[in-house]
Coordinates of all heavy atoms in Angstrom, one line a residue:
T1737 N 4.2 -3.0 26.6 CA 5.5 -3.3 26.2 C 6.5 -3.2 27.2 O 7.7 -3.4 27.0 CB 5.9 -2.3 25.0 OG1 5.9 -1.0 25.5 CG2 4.9 -2.3 23.9
Q1738 N 6.1 -2.9 28.5 CA 7.0 -3.0 29.6 C 7.2 -4.5 29.9 O 6.3 -5.3 29.8 CB 6.4 -2.4 30.8 CG 6.2 -0.8 30.7 CD 5.7 -0.2 32.1 OE1 4.7 0.4 32.1 NE2 6.5 -0.5 33.2
N1739 N 8.5 -4.8 30.2 CA 8.8 -6.2 30.3 C 10.0 -6.4 31.3 O 11.0 -6.9 30.9 CB 9.0 -6.9 29.0 CG 8.8 -8.4 29.0 OD1 8.2 -8.9 29.9 ND2 9.2 -9.0 28.0
P1740 N 9.8 -6.1 32.5 CA 11.0 -6.3 33.5 C 11.3 -7.7 33.7 O 10.4 -8.6 33.7 CB 10.4 -5.6 34.7 CG 9.0 -5.8 34.7 CD 8.6 -5.7 33.3
I1741 N 12.6 -8.0 34.1 CA 12.9 -9.4 34.4 C 12.8 -9.5 35.9 O 13.4 -8.8 36.7 CB 14.5 -9.5 34.1 CG1 14.8 -9.1 32.6 CG2 15.0 -10.9 34.4 CD1 16.3 -8.9 32.4
F1742 N 12.0 -10.5 36.3 CA 11.7 -10.6 37.7 C 11.7 -12.2 38.2 O 11.6 -13.0 37.3 CB 10.4 -10.0 38.1 CG 9.2 -10.6 37.3 CD1 8.6 -11.8 37.7 CD2 8.7 -9.9 36.2 CE1 7.5 -12.3 37.0 CE2 7.6 -10.5 35.5 CZ 7.0 -11.6 35.9
M1743 N 11.9 -12.3 39.5 CA 11.7 -13.6 40.0 C 10.5 -13.7 41.0 O 10.1 -12.6 41.5 CB 12.9 -14.1 40.8 CG 13.2 -13.4 42.0 SD 14.5 -14.2 43.1 CE 13.8 -15.8 43.5
H1744 N 10.0 -14.8 41.3 CA 8.9 -15.0 42.4 C 9.6 -15.6 43.7 O 10.1 -16.7 43.6 CB 7.9 -16.0 41.9 CG 6.7 -15.3 41.3 ND1 5.4 -15.9 41.4 CD2 6.5 -14.2 40.6 CE1 4.5 -15.0 40.9 NE2 5.2 -14.0 40.3
L1745 N 9.7 -14.8 44.7 CA 10.3 -15.2 45.9 C 9.2 -15.7 46.9 O 8.2 -15.1 47.0 CB 11.0 -14.0 46.6 CG 11.8 -14.3 47.8 CD1 13.0 -15.3 47.5 CD2 12.4 -13.0 48.5
V1746 N 9.6 -16.9 47.4 CA 8.6 -17.6 48.3 C 8.7 -17.3 49.8 O 8.2 -18.1 50.6 CB 8.6 -19.1 48.1 CG1 8.1 -19.4 46.6 CG2 10.0 -19.7 48.3
S1747 N 9.4 -16.2 50.1 CA 9.6 -15.8 51.5 C 9.5 -14.4 51.7 O 9.9 -13.6 50.8 CB 10.8 -16.4 52.0 OG 11.2 -15.9 53.4
T1748 N 9.1 -13.9 52.9 CA 9.2 -12.5 53.2 C 10.0 -12.3 54.5 O 10.1 -11.2 55.0 CB 7.8 -11.9 53.5 OG1 7.1 -12.7 54.5 CG2 6.9 -11.9 52.3
E1749 N 10.8 -13.3 54.8 CA 11.7 -13.2 55.9 C 12.8 -12.2 55.5 O 13.4 -12.4 54.4 CB 12.3 -14.5 56.2 CG 13.0 -14.6 57.6 CD 14.4 -14.1 57.6 OE1 15.1 -14.3 56.6 OE2 14.7 -13.3 58.5
P1750 N 13.0 -11.1 56.2 CA 13.9 -10.0 55.7 C 15.2 -10.4 55.2 O 15.8 -10.0 54.2 CB 13.9 -9.1 56.9 CG 12.6 -9.3 57.6 CD 12.3 -10.7 57.5
A1751 N 15.9 -11.3 56.0 CA 17.2 -11.7 55.5 C 17.2 -12.5 54.2 O 18.1 -12.3 53.4 CB 17.8 -12.7 56.6
Q1752 N 16.1 -13.2 54.0 CA 16.0 -14.0 52.7 C 15.7 -13.0 51.6 O 16.1 -13.2 50.4 CB 15.0 -15.1 52.8 CG 15.1 -16.1 51.6 CD 14.5 -17.4 52.0 OE1 14.0 -17.7 53.2 NE2 14.4 -18.3 51.1
V1753 N 14.9 -12.0 51.8 CA 14.5 -11.1 50.8 C 15.8 -10.3 50.5 O 16.0 -10.1 49.2 CB 13.4 -10.1 51.3 CG1 13.2 -9.1 50.3 CG2 12.2 -10.9 51.6
R1754 N 16.5 -9.9 51.4 CA 17.8 -9.2 51.0 C 18.8 -10.0 50.3 O 19.4 -9.5 49.4 CB 18.4 -8.6 52.4 CG 17.6 -7.5 53.0 CD 18.4 -6.9 54.2 NE 17.6 -5.8 54.7 CZ 16.8 -5.9 55.8 NH1 16.6 -7.1 56.4 NH2 16.1 -4.9 56.3
A1755 N 18.9 -11.3 50.6 CA 19.7 -12.2 49.9 C 19.3 -12.3 48.4 O 20.1 -12.3 47.5 CB 19.7 -13.5 50.6
A1756 N 18.0 -12.4 48.2 CA 17.4 -12.5 46.9 C 17.7 -11.2 46.1 O 18.0 -11.2 44.9 CB 15.9 -12.8 46.9
V1757 N 17.5 -10.0 46.7 CA 17.8 -8.8 46.2 C 19.3 -8.8 45.7 O 19.6 -8.3 44.6 CB 17.5 -7.6 47.2 CG1 18.1 -6.3 46.6 CG2 16.1 -7.4 47.3
D1758 N 20.2 -9.2 46.6 CA 21.6 -9.2 46.2 C 21.9 -10.1 45.0 O 22.7 -9.8 44.1 CB 22.4 -9.7 47.4 CG 22.4 -8.8 48.5 OD1 22.0 -7.5 48.3 OD2 22.7 -9.1 49.7
Q1759 N 21.2 -11.3 45.0 CA 21.4 -12.2 43.8 C 20.8 -11.6 42.5 O 21.5 -11.7 41.5 CB 20.7 -13.5 44.0 CG 21.4 -14.4 45.0 CD 21.0 -15.9 44.9 OE1 20.0 -16.2 44.2 NE2 21.7 -16.7 45.5
C1760 N 19.7 -10.9 42.6 CA 19.1 -10.2 41.5 C 20.1 -9.1 40.9 O 20.4 -9.0 39.7 CB 17.8 -9.5 41.7 SG 16.5 -10.7 41.9
A1761 N 20.6 -8.2 41.9 CA 21.6 -7.3 41.5 C 22.8 -7.8 40.8 O 23.4 -7.3 39.9 CB 21.9 -6.4 42.7
E1762 N 23.2 -9.0 41.3 CA 24.5 -9.6 40.9 C 24.3 -10.2 39.4 O 25.2 -10.2 38.6 CB 24.9 -10.7 41.8 CG 26.2 -11.4 41.5 CD 27.4 -10.4 41.6 OE1 27.3 -9.4 42.4 OE2 28.4 -10.7 41.0
T1763 N 23.1 -10.7 39.2 CA 22.9 -11.5 37.9 C 22.2 -10.6 36.8 O 22.0 -11.0 35.6 CB 22.1 -12.7 38.1 OG1 20.8 -12.3 38.7 CG2 22.7 -13.7 39.0
G1764 N 21.7 -9.4 37.2 CA 21.0 -8.6 36.2 C 19.5 -8.6 36.2 O 18.8 -8.0 35.4
Y1765 N 19.0 -9.4 37.2 CA 17.5 -9.4 37.4 C 17.1 -8.0 37.8 O 17.7 -7.4 38.5 CB 17.1 -10.5 38.4 CG 16.7 -11.8 37.7 CD1 17.7 -12.5 37.1 CD2 15.4 -12.3 37.8 CE1 17.3 -13.7 36.5 CE2 15.1 -13.5 37.2 CZ 16.0 -14.2 36.6 OH 15.7 -15.4 36.0
E1766 N 15.8 -7.7 37.4 CA 15.4 -6.3 37.7 C 14.3 -6.1 38.7 O 13.9 -5.0 39.2 CB 14.9 -5.6 36.3 CG 15.9 -5.6 35.3 CD 15.5 -5.4 33.9 OE1 14.3 -5.7 33.6 OE2 16.3 -5.0 33.1
G1767 N 13.7 -7.3 39.1 CA 12.7 -7.2 40.1 C 12.4 -8.5 40.8 O 12.7 -9.6 40.4
I1768 N 11.7 -8.4 42.0 CA 11.3 -9.5 42.8 C 9.8 -9.3 43.1 O 9.4 -8.2 43.5 CB 12.0 -9.6 44.1 CG1 13.6 -10.0 43.9 CG2 11.4 -10.6 45.0 CD1 14.4 -9.9 45.1
I1769 N 9.1 -10.3 43.0 CA 7.6 -10.3 43.4 C 7.5 -11.3 44.6 O 7.8 -12.5 44.4 CB 6.7 -10.8 42.3 CG1 6.7 -9.8 41.1 CG2 5.2 -10.9 42.8 CD1 5.8 -10.2 39.9
L1770 N 7.1 -10.8 45.7 CA 6.9 -11.6 46.9 C 5.6 -12.5 46.6 O 4.5 -11.9 46.6 CB 6.8 -10.8 48.1 CG 8.0 -9.8 48.4 CD1 7.8 -9.0 49.7 CD2 9.3 -10.8 48.6
S1771 N 5.8 -13.7 46.3 CA 4.8 -14.5 45.7 C 3.7 -15.0 46.7 O 3.9 -14.8 47.9 CB 5.5 -15.7 45.0 OG 4.6 -16.5 44.3
F1772 N 2.7 -15.6 46.1 CA 1.8 -16.4 47.0 C 2.4 -17.4 47.8 O 3.3 -18.1 47.4 CB 0.6 -17.0 46.2 CG 1.1 -17.9 45.0 CD1 1.3 -19.3 45.1 CD2 1.4 -17.3 43.8 CE1 1.8 -20.0 44.1 CE2 1.9 -18.0 42.7 CZ 2.1 -19.5 42.9

Side-chain angles (χ1 to χ4, degrees):
T1737 67
Q1738 291 184 237
N1739 204 12
I1741 307 169
F1742 59 82
M1743 73 168 295
H1744 263 213
L1745 187 62
V1746 294
S1747 173
T1748 55
E1749 198 279 316
Q1752 194 159 354
V1753 175
R1754 291 188 176 93
V1757 167
D1758 293 342
Q1759 286 202 349
C1760 286
E1762 185 68 24
T1763 57
Y1765 267 66
E1766 297 164 342
I1768 293 173
I1769 296 176
L1770 302 178
S1771 187
F1772 49 93

